[in-house]
Amino acid sequence: MNTTLERPREAEGAPSATRPAPATMRLPYAFRSARAARLMVNAKLIEWGLEALIDDAELIISELVSNAAKTGCRTYMIVAIRRPTAGVVRLLVSDGSASPPVRIEAGPSHESGRGLALVHHLTKAKWGVRLWPHGKVIHADLGVPSELA
């Protein structure tokens, strides 16, 4: 599995001193990893003074990590949080499955299937997937309110 998460193109020209330091961690393919990912995201958002994004970011990272845990991969996933620009917080999850996520329309009687719809809603459709030869990286971008950017 490729464990390198691609550096966002819009951040390439910016001096590193102006971008907050990202956080990355390797986690096992287990549902308990969602808690560790939430704690990392929470700590970074507090460090960056973006407490207003914590609830949405925790929901998003929980969904992405839980989906990765369902892939059946046996090594580890990579979870990261970055600030590619002042106005964006990017959450990333890399896993070893080449199957892209599929957003479905879950009906009232369905027990699951609402997670990616929630990610789609919370990110205002600013999420996606990049396939690699041995897996994928899913990113979800949250807008930073202009008064906090």
Side-chain angles (χ1 to χ4, degrees):
M1 179 175 101
N2 183 340
T3 59
T4 304
L5 296 177
E6 184 177 76
R7 189 169 146 200
R9 295 200 191 291
E10 64 270 19
E12 286 178 358
S16 61
T18 62
R19 285 191 313 257
T24 304
M25 63 189 324
R26 291 174 18 164
L27 294 170
Y29 287 97
F31 292 106
R32 71 179 184 276
S33 292
R35 182 177 190 276
R38 282 191 307 274
L39 290 172
M40 178 187 73
V41 165
N42 187 303
K44 265 306 181 187
L45 290 174
I46 289 170
E47 177 184 324
W48 295 340
L50 299 176
E51 292 86 352
L53 299 180
I54 288 174
D55 290 342
D56 290 352
E58 285 183 343
L59 283 170
I60 291 166
I61 204 69
S62 292
E63 178 59 28
L64 299 181
V65 168
S66 295
N67 284 351
K70 294 175 191 174
T71 64
C73 295
R74 298 178 191 252
T75 55
Y76 54 86
M77 67 181 90
I78 305 293
V79 178
I81 180 171
R82 297 194 173 143
R83 290 277 306 270
T85 68
V88 175
V89 168
R90 179 167 290 159
L91 305 170
L92 302 112
V93 176
S94 176
D95 67 47
S97 170
S99 298
V102 177
R103 187 168 60 105
I104 62 170
E105 297 297 326
S109 62
H110 291 98
E111 292 184 22
S112 64
R114 293 174 185 80
L116 286 177
L118 179 64
V119 170
H120 188 79
H121 173 74
L122 293 173
T123 63
K124 297 177 177 56
K126 291 181 169 72
W127 69 280
V129 61
R130 178 171 208 145
L131 297 176
W132 297 98
H134 302 288
K136 64 183 173 292
V137 177
I138 300 173
H139 72 273
D141 291 350
L142 282 170
V144 175
S146 58
E147 66 272 10
L148 300 175

